[in-house]
Amino acid sequence: MNTRPDTLEDIVSEDANCETPSNDLEALLERINRLASGEEPLEERPAQQIVAEKPAPAPARPRPSAALPFREPEEAGKDRKEWCPVEPKTLAEAGITDGQLEHLALKCLGACGDLTGHELAENHCVPFRLIEPILANLKQAQFVAYRGSAPMNDYVYQLTDLGREQSKKLTEYCSYFGSAPVPLETYIDSVSEQTLTKVHPTKADLERAFSDLLVNQNMLRRLGPAVNSGRGLFLFGFPGNGKTSIAERITKAFGDSVWIPRAIGIQGEIMRVFDPALHEEMPLEMPSGPLHSRAFDKRWVRIRRPTIVVGGELTMDFLEVTAGTGNNVSEAPLQLKSNCGTLVIDDFGRQRMTTDVLLNRWIVPLEKRYDFLRLVNGKKIQVPFDQLIIFSTNLEPKDLVDDAFLRRIPYKIEVPDPSEEEFRKLFTIMAPILGMEYNQDSVDYLIDTHYKPINRPFRCCQPRDLLLQIRNYCNYLDTTPTMCREYFDYAIENYFAIM
């Protein structure tokens, strides 16, 4: 007979000769975690006295949407804490039912074949202790059978004939079998905890966000209040002056990371939120060891605060819930995927739909900060609309929209042409990046010959583009890329051929 302990609690209980009640053990483990993270000072007492002392009763368990204070390793000396989803202790705290987890397990076994209990728990992003009784129920109902034993008191599970038939029926209704979904109410609470309106970037935050761009102080002075508003803004000006680059970096001023669910469950329908094509994962670095293995809910993903950029390809379908590749599985719209981040509408006015259609779709969400979505099954739900909307355009905002909409976008910021001093500074920045030595004489020749005589305006993109022309030309000639008059003449001839 197998007498190995199943869990960490069993191991600790055996060491204590089974004298520690389960509630006391939970409190003891939580206190050990606090001591390890430095949140509670360790008193100078003998170790035997600390272990023998009966701990206080465990505090009430928070709701799934509660915030778990977590101190990042690199922030150990600071007071900054980030919101973190608490790992559920029960299925009720997770917001899922026994039946939902049974269905996910059956569909997963039908699609992937034989799996251990721990592999199923990892696939559904739930603790093993929650899925273990579910698998026992499926075994008793003869939907699954043991294929063999596995380490850590686990088994390899396979579907029976009855189980395969049930898995096929469930897949025909809903083909999703990934991470257990997070309830919509829990997601709404998480957005409220991580909302942009609670973050007020300072001048230092903006300077850090734009550290890799040449942005003058006047531009930062205008951007600062607009970013703090969290309402949205227009960036307009001539093409090539960095409107898109500015919009992409604004998100950094709000902080590095947020948590989003992999999928949301809405009364039987699954809506995927995490999108690897748009979201960049930032895995949480935690000390190794069993005491830290239950720090957060694995159904959530820690990502870099999202910055989603769409241009002329934007259509109304991007802003509505769309049917996924499987049955009863839908894909979240762009504005929901960009919550707690930035959504950039690039080349505004050149979309495949008119500006009136787009603005009428968002006129209420921009005012109320919530949106209504219609699911694939026809149900209508209310979701947060919590992102900084940036409209980037080469056209005048007043020529694109009416006064009613301009009132809802209170900040209109022009991105002007660079001055001659800034234009020269861009060459000094870009030359070493592209593997060239900066040459002041050649830049003087470029400006005095090809710009000033014909009043050609400076653009922020031109130093980079001209130096790229020179580098490519030198690669063709098999020579070292060099800034010189001859090469600048060649680059200007190509770059401004029809301009």
Side-chain angles (χ1 to χ4, degrees):
M1 184 177 65
N2 190 350
T3 60
R4 293 178 300 171
D6 293 336
T7 63
L8 177 63
E9 288 84 349
D10 296 332
I11 296 173
V12 177
S13 297
E14 287 186 1
D15 291 342
N17 296 322
C18 300
E19 294 178 358
T20 305
S22 59
N23 288 341
D24 293 346
L25 178 59
E26 290 288 341
L28 177 60
L29 290 174
E30 290 184 4
R31 186 179 180 194
I32 293 174
N33 274 322
R34 292 197 301 271
L35 291 171
S37 63
E39 295 181 3
E40 179 178 334
L42 182 62
E43 300 178 7
E44 296 183 357
R45 292 179 291 172
Q48 295 84 354
Q49 182 180 353
I50 295 175
V51 174
E53 180 182 355
K54 183 177 180 180
R61 295 293 179 192
R63 296 173 54 210
S65 59
L68 172 67
F70 180 81
R71 191 183 301 275
E72 296 186 47
E74 63 272 17
E75 300 286 341
K78 302 179 182 179
D79 295 331
R80 179 187 174 191
K81 294 179 181 180
E82 71 173 36
W83 185 88
C84 183
V86 179
E87 182 183 81
K89 301 296 187 294
T90 64
L91 291 180
E93 286 188 9
I96 53 179
T97 64
D98 293 1
Q100 288 175 317
L101 200 51
E102 287 178 359
H103 293 175
L104 288 173
L106 288 173
K107 289 185 286 185
C108 186
L109 288 170
C112 302
D114 302 346
L115 296 171
T116 67
H118 283 87
E119 288 172 338
L120 283 166
E122 183 178 355
N123 183 78
H124 302 319
C125 301
V126 296
F128 175 69
R129 66 178 179 277
L130 296 187
I131 202 171
E132 188 177 23
I134 300 298
L135 295 174
N137 293 339
L138 293 175
K139 172 72 166 57
Q140 186 175 4
Q142 299 184 353
F143 286 125
V144 301
Y146 295 148
R147 174 71 181 271
S149 60
M152 299 179 68
N153 224 22
D154 195 6
Y155 299 94
V156 178
Y157 294 89
Q158 67 176 8
L159 291 177
T160 62
D161 291 339
L162 183 62
R164 278 189 287 271
E165 182 179 350
Q166 182 70 3
S167 175
K168 183 178 179 181
K169 291 180 180 178
L170 292 172
T171 303
E172 290 175 353
Y173 173 74
C174 178
S175 58
Y176 180 83
F177 60 86
S179 167
V182 172
L184 176 61
E185 296 78 10
T186 304
Y187 170 69
I188 293 174
D189 290 343
S190 75
V191 174
S192 176
E193 291 289 342
Q194 303 175 101
T195 176
L196 294 180
T197 58
K198 291 184 177 181
V199 184
H200 301 289
T202 63
K203 179 181 178 182
D205 294 325
L206 259 69
E207 289 177 346
R208 172 181 54 84
F210 290 95
S211 59
D212 61 334
L213 285 185
L214 182 62
V215 180
N216 59 49
Q217 291 299 317
N218 184 54
M219 175 61 67
L220 290 179
R221 182 178 59 83
R222 299 190 63 190
L223 282 173
V227 172
N228 268 274
S229 73
R231 295 284 304 275
L233 61 107
F234 270 107
L235 287 178
F236 66 98
F238 291 105
N241 281 336
K243 294 184 298 297
T244 304
S245 297
I246 290 174
E248 291 174 344
R249 284 159 177 80
I250 283 177
T251 314
K252 295 181 181 179
F254 290 100
D256 293 332
S257 62
V258 293
W259 292 82
I260 64 170
R262 299 178 187 274
I264 298 175
I266 309 166
Q267 298 183 5
E269 184 167 331
I270 305 296
M271 182 167 65
R272 286 190 293 244
V273 178
F274 175 65
D275 188 343
L278 300 175
H279 299 139
E280 179 184 351
E281 284 194 66
M282 293 184 65
L284 194 62
E285 297 181 3
M286 300 182 62
S288 59
L291 296 178
H292 297 276
S293 61
R294 299 184 301 164
F296 64 93
D297 192 341
K298 305 298 190 300
R299 297 177 300 166
W300 297 72
V301 187
R302 185 174 183 259
I303 64 168
R304 191 175 303 280
R305 195 174 286 271
T307 301
I308 299 178
V309 182
V310 290
E313 75 278 9
L314 179 65
T315 63
M316 188 58 69
D317 292 339
F318 285 71
L319 309 180
E320 304 295 342
V321 177
T322 55
T325 55
N327 299 329
N328 277 342
V329 182
S330 57
E331 196 73 23
L334 284 178
Q335 65 269 27
L336 192 140
K337 290 182 179 181
S338 65
N339 270 337
C340 302
T342 303
L343 178 58
V344 182
I345 310 299
D346 204 10
D347 288 330
F348 181 61
R350 305 185 189 278
Q351 278 67 38
R352 295 163 59 185
M353 56 181 173
T354 64
T355 57
D356 291 341
V357 172
L358 174 61
L359 302 181
N360 288 336
R361 172 64 180 83
W362 276 350
I363 197 165
V364 173
L366 283 170
E367 182 79 17
K368 304 294 185 181
R369 299 194 71 85
Y370 59 78
D371 192 13
F372 288 98
L373 300 176
R374 187 179 299 278
L375 302 179
V376 176
N377 61 10
K379 183 181 294 294
K380 207 168 188 179
I381 60 173
Q382 179 178 319
V383 296
F385 190 84
D386 190 273
Q387 66 281 111
L388 184 66
I389 300 287
I390 299 179
F391 297 93
S392 174
T393 179
N394 301 331
L395 308 173
E396 285 281 349
K398 63 182 180 181
D399 297 333
L400 294 173
V401 297
D402 56 21
D403 293 340
F405 190 81
L406 284 176
R407 181 178 62 83
R408 289 169 170 83
I409 305 293
Y411 293 93
K412 300 90 176 172
I413 300 176
E414 182 179 8
V415 182
D417 293 336
S419 63
E420 180 178 338
E421 180 183 356
E422 292 170 336
F423 190 71
R424 291 175 180 273
K425 180 66 175 177
L426 287 170
F427 276 104
T428 65
I429 295 174
M430 293 305 304
I433 294 176
L434 297 178
M436 295 182 227
E437 184 177 349
Y438 176 71
N439 186 303
Q440 178 68 43
D441 178 70
S442 61
V443 175
D444 292 339
Y445 169 79
L446 171 70
I447 295 175
D448 294 337
T449 305
H450 297 288
Y451 278 86
K452 289 183 177 179
I454 58 176
N455 293 323
R456 176 173 282 148
F458 298 123
R459 298 282 190 266
C460 290
C461 65
Q462 291 170 359
R464 177 201 61 196
D465 295 344
L466 293 174
L467 291 179
L468 280 173
Q469 293 255 0
I470 291 176
R471 189 183 69 174
N472 296 334
Y473 184 54
C474 291
N475 289 339
Y476 167 72
L477 297 177
D478 196 21
T479 62
T480 302
T482 306
M483 293 175 61
C484 66
R485 298 185 177 192
E486 176 187 353
Y487 292 160
F488 268 123
D489 288 338
Y490 168 83
I492 289 292
E493 182 181 1
N494 284 338
Y495 192 71
F496 292 107
I498 57 175
M499 296 171 65

